[in-house]
Amino acid sequence: DAGITQSPRHKVTETGTPVTLRCHQTENHRYMYWYRQDPGHGLRLIHYSYGVKDTDKGEVSDGYSVSRSKTEDFLLTLESATSSQTSVYFCAISRTGVTDTQYFGPGTRLTVL
Amino acid sequence: QKEVEQDPGPLSVPEGAIVSLNCTYSNSAFQYFMWYRQYSRKGPELLMYTYSSGNKEDGRFTAQVDKSSKYISLFIRDSQPSDSATYLCAMTSLRDNYGQNFVFGPGTRLSVLP
């Protein structure tokens, strides 16, 4: 998985609790992304980062926040988890952005009860 | 109409068959096209990456882009049971400076039967 780890790999939580997912890369790539994958929807971008402390919203950012204090780490936080955020979350990295493809981590399966 | 359409399958073929997987898209600005393979409960892994129109071959895999028809294909020759997975197409344009505008198809589930 191109030097990308995600933690935790599985999590079950209750509605209203905060949740933080971590993505860690060893490739020193500048760009990092958080996607969610749901049946019938394909991968949808939540947030992305184009450098340390530089982040922006994606297509489905409501209810999510991110932080990137180091090149290698990109955190995704669900401030108050809802059942609609039950999904599989993938982190991806890219060396150059548009002219380079994206490489994906192994995913985190999150269930919000 | 969705920006990228892909038949979800499942598609079942016998081992050794030639498989054709396809995506259609509506945005004529797309210039970069990718195919990813995703095994069950794993992350997508890049198979093919092509720019603009034409063909690209890598082993048993051939990616084809027809920009005039807004249609891309992935061909798998001599398919193997290990090719059983979901195949996602993805695409973007030069305006996508940070890679934030990748559009992914929902994926086609392929089963290669021994």
Side-chain angles (χ1 to χ4, degrees), chain B residues 9-82:
Chain B
L11 177 63
S12 293
V13 300
E15 184 176 353
I18 295 174
V19 176
S20 172
L21 303 166
N22 311 295
C23 284
T24 58
Y25 62 95
S26 56
N27 187 345
S28 58
F30 287 147
Q31 293 175 285
Y32 298 91
F33 303 93
M34 289 136 279
W35 284 96
Y36 288 84
R37 178 175 62 196
Q38 185 175 21
Y39 291 116
S40 181
R41 296 184 175 258
K42 300 284 188 186
E45 57 176 323
L46 179 70
L47 273 180
M48 302 288 280
Y49 178 75
T50 56
Y51 170 70
S52 197
S53 284
N55 292 1
K56 183 175 182 179
E57 193 173 313
D58 185 359
R60 296 184 296 111
F61 298 92
T62 299
Q64 201 171 75
V65 175
D66 182 350
K67 290 188 70 182
S68 61
S69 302
K70 298 193 185 72
Y71 189 88
I72 68 170
S73 301
L74 177 72
F75 298 96
I76 307 174
R77 288 183 298 282
D78 187 27
S79 56
Q80 302 295 310
S82 58

